[in-house]
Amino acid sequence: MDAIKIRISGTVQGVGFRPFVRNLAARHRVCGWVCNTSGSVEIAAEGEAAALAAFTAALRAEAPPLARIDSLEWEAVPAAGYASFEIRASISEEGGFQPVAPDIAVCPDCERELFDPDDRRHLYPFINCTNCGPRLTIIRDIPYDRPRTSMAPFEMCPRCRAEYENPDDRRYHAQPVACPECGPRVWMEPGMPAAPGSDNQIAMRARHASPLQNHSPYEPLLTARRLLREGRIVAIRGMGGFHLACDAGNADAVLELRRRKHRSGKPFAVMVRDLAAAMTCCEIGDAERAQLSGREKPIVILRRKEGCPVVEAVAPGNGTLGVMLPYSPLHLLLMHKGDPVLDSESAPAALVMTSGNLSEEPIAIGNDEALARLGPLADAFLLHDREIIQRCDDSVVRVFGVRAQRAVPEQMQRSVPVQLKRAVPLRRSRGYAPAPVLLPFDAPPILAVGGELKNTFCLARGRYAFLSPHIGDMENAETLAAFEESVERYQRLFHTTPEIIAHDMHPGYLGTRWACDFAGGRKRIAVQHHHAHAAACLADNELSGKDPVIALAFDGTGYGPDGAIWGAEVLVADYRHYERAIHLEYLPLPGGDAAIRKPWRIAVGFAAALELPVDDLPFIRNLDAREVETVRAQAARGIHAPPVSSMGRLFDAVAALAGICTEIDYEAQGAIELEELARGRIGAEGEYPFAIDGENIRVRDLLAAVTRDVRAGESAGCIGARFHNTVRSIAVKSAQTVRAARGIRGVALSGGVWQNALFLQLAVDALQEAGFEVYTHRRVPANDGGLALGQAAVAAAMEA
């Protein structure tokens, strides 16, 4: 009889790992025990040598679907003479920590039970099991046990307790397990929407109070379905926060939501009833289908079909829709068709589901908070009493194609390029956070605070880098408070007190100022913005960093050590070092941030600096002449016109010159509309001239050619296509220039401009054709949502 002690680290709590181990032990006739600790799962195993070897191998090979084993270590120990195999109570260890599973969409078994009239959880909005349901959003501390979650107040009834304690039941130690008898409940409350020009919110509340009664368990759901069908706006408390919902097929309802939310043009996300409904709206291939129906169920950016029943006001002027399927039981109940109880109040097949907040504020999570903040936005509230511990917005992904080599079966001596599709994240939150990214080296406890826009932070320790869910733009006190709450929660959850604080180099960022105050006497490391982008891409691709790469860090804004605004950077970079090899020539940004909101100012400023006449172009005719002259004076004198080297601003300038977008309602609107118009024209159009002059990319000839095309009456789509072809060539020729000088083949693409799917596809294809090994983001966004990972990796490398 041999005996071993096994220690397993990774995502192995709250995912059914202990009953899996128990059943595996029974199959291999192994005796001993398994238990959770604060830092791992520990196993004592005794049996024949061959049985122990098979048992240990099966731990990795057959792990539950939500488990992720990062390390498995074992050692021989003296046999204790165990007669059976048991699951022991959890042990809390001082200083122990481990990954926590993200929230997971409702599984097929629970969905089947949800609509089974004979099941005791029929139509229960909080059905879950070990394979699905909330995790991060309900947990207070580890080990992950019910008393340490927001389910602690709900004492299990005897039948739920029996399931919870039965290792053969799929609800064994499913911490959120509940039923209508003992678990959370839903109810309706009226909102306080203010009519245009009216401030009589009390009267509005009284007007909506009568239909929102809660006499039966099903009435809140039926009322919500009826209100949505009638064109009302309903605030819905979900797993990670509130959504504001309305019928996506009702233009009046969508426009009213825009009015109330002060969101004039930015696209809304849509939740559709099922995959068939999604296929009615959008073009869906295998890769898109896999993302929509997977266990994470993110919002997927899809091409809109002709005749799509979702109204234009959901995503005005945009050929794409952000689509997701229902991921919680409550969402399924709001949209399901075919249940006799629910069908008494039919529901729309597609709902706008946008974050429950006013523009630029964090998503609301508490009932009282939502009633206060969202009361003027919603006609009614669908509430529940399971506390949300951690805010967690919906994740967003987009599918793009990557080239690979596939052998030709009949002629195995050669291969042909094929297009494979995979998802790239645009926002990493629900379903993904806080699953860690593994660093290529051990890190001391580090807190990286991320950037100003699309903020996330990163808590790193050992090989683990834990990114927070999406927090938002760090531009107000409310977002800073949400950031601080999440940082404190992550420190407690992962039992980590940071010794090093990493932050952006920009002295004016709210996150930088907070980091300086928070650090106290602890070490601070300021990481240059685009170096952090490069390092994030390296870490996302699990690269060691021993060999530098050519990093094409293209975005809108990043603070350079020379005090200028960077954003079109060709770097030679590893984790510890970076060197600026090539960049867009400096041009003035008249008005600073004001120019970002009014791209015409960028176009006028760039044209003035490059001595390009634009007074006869259509975009300038409706502008105030005095304001135009002020902008030109700012550009000429360098007064409140910081020098900028930015690919994002170049997109803005071209969009304005072409008359596509002179003022924006949301970030990157000009670039998004330019991309949309360029689609379908790429292959038929050429490109504009440019030059690489030493370390400068010269764009006078490029912008002069754009103005000539505008005067010649070329369409905006033609100009957009030629411009996209041009920036593709800028990317390739810049990389070739560095390769010729340094012999580097690897190219990392990072920064917000790479969210442009058309540009990404063009550049990746062309770079691969030119013989480069191309690295794109896989698990964290290329935008500033991935910046904290890069900051943490740089800080860890500097300390290694």
Side-chain angles (χ1 to χ4, degrees), residues 7 38-39 93-98 142 461 493-495:
R7 188 178 182 93
S38 299
E93 295 178 327
E94 185 69 27
F97 78 104
Q98 64 174 286
I142 55 173
R461 178 177 170 185
L493 187 59
F494 297 113
H495 294 188

Side-chain angles (χ1 to χ4, degrees), residues 360 452-453 473-477 479 510:
E360 313 306 332
E452 189 84 342
L453 303 179
D473 295 349
M474 295 276 280
E475 296 180 335
N476 54 58
T479 306
L510 186 57

Side-chain angles (χ1 to χ4, degrees), residues 699-767:
V699 294
R700 186 186 189 283
D701 290 345
L702 187 165
L703 295 177
V706 170
T707 63
R708 284 196 298 272
D709 275 355
V710 174
R711 291 187 184 98
E714 294 285 3
S715 70
C718 167
I719 293 170
R722 290 173 180 173
F723 178 68
H724 277 79
N725 285 337
T726 305
V727 290
R728 171 199 59 197
S729 292
I730 287 174
V732 174
K733 291 183 180 179
S734 297
Q736 288 173 324
T737 300
V738 176
R739 181 174 61 184
R742 307 289 288 270
I744 301 172
R745 286 188 62 250
V747 175
L749 308 182
S750 193
V753 170
W754 296 110
Q755 293 179 116
N756 180 321
L758 178 60
F759 179 36
L760 178 65
Q761 190 72 71
L762 288 170
V764 169
D765 287 349
L767 286 164

Side-chain angles (χ1 to χ4, degrees), residues 133 153 216 330 366 432 471 530 656 666:
S216 79
L330 184 60
Y432 301 93
I471 291 172
H530 301 94
Y666 58 91

Side-chain angles (χ1 to χ4, degrees), residues 304-342:
R304 187 183 185 123
K305 278 185 175 177
E306 288 285 338
C308 172
V310 173
V311 297
E312 171 71 14
V314 169
N318 204 310
T320 63
L321 284 175
V323 178
M324 60 180 160
L325 298 188
Y327 57 82
S328 76
L330 184 60
H331 295 145
L332 287 166
L333 293 170
L334 287 172
M335 306 195 74
H336 184 74
K337 187 177 182 180
D339 186 275
V341 175
L342 298 178

Side-chain angles (χ1 to χ4, degrees), residues 13 79 84 92 100 177 281 351 385 393 441 511 524 698 707 711 723 740:
Q13 292 193 22
S84 62
S92 182
V100 172
V177 67
C281 296
L351 295 174
D385 55 358
D393 271 289
F441 31 68
R524 287 190 298 109
R698 303 292 183 186
T707 63
R711 291 187 184 98
F723 178 68

